[in-house]
């Protein structure tokens, strides 16, 4: 919560006082909130990194499937003994891992896109109110001169 000059208490998420519509001014000794706002470029870079990680993970799953399918050639039974791999480890487990990771990818990207949209809307409202305040100030200056 922060207190405006007019005495109204406002939520920390708002940059304007809801009562008097004044811009929130933070004192120089204000403590950071610990919330890190990322720029749009940084958010898209994070999305790219996550997609690359997803591709690498799917490639590892594919290598695992190839390894499990050709385990008799990779580890000869006469040298290492007979290795029985359950059918679930051959097919079901890799499919479940890929599906869960794809769901995680989609949720993470949607969350980042939502953050970009929220930041864009906040910036638009902030700039709109600043523009309104400046035009009101210009109108007041013109009326004083006349």
């Amino acid at each position: 919560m922060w207190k405006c000059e007019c005495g109204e208490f406002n939520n920390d998420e708002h940059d304007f006082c809801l009562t008097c519509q004044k811009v929130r001014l933070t004192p120089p000794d204000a403590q950071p909130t610990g919330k890190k706002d990322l720029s749009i470029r940084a958010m898209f870079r994070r999305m790219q990194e996550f997609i690359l990680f997803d591709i690498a993970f799917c490639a590892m799953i594919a290598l695992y499937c190839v390894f499990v399918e050709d385990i008799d050639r990779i580890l000869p039974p006469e040298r290492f003994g007979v290795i029985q791999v359950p059918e679930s480890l051959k097919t079901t487990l890799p499919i479940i891992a890929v599906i869960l990771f794809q769901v995680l990818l989609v949720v993470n990207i949607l969350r980042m896109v939502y953050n970009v949209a929220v930041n864009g809307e906040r910036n638009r409202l902030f700039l709109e109110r600043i523009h309104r305040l400046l035009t009101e100030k210009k109108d007041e200056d013109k009326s004083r001169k006349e």
Side-chain angles (χ1 to χ4, degrees), residues 26-30:
T26 55
D29 60 344

Side-chain angles (χ1 to χ4, degrees), residues 75-91:
L75 302 173
E78 52 277 347
R79 186 166 178 204
F80 294 98
V82 178
I83 300 171
Q84 292 294 328
V85 179
E87 194 63 34
S88 65
L89 288 178
K90 286 183 179 179
T91 56

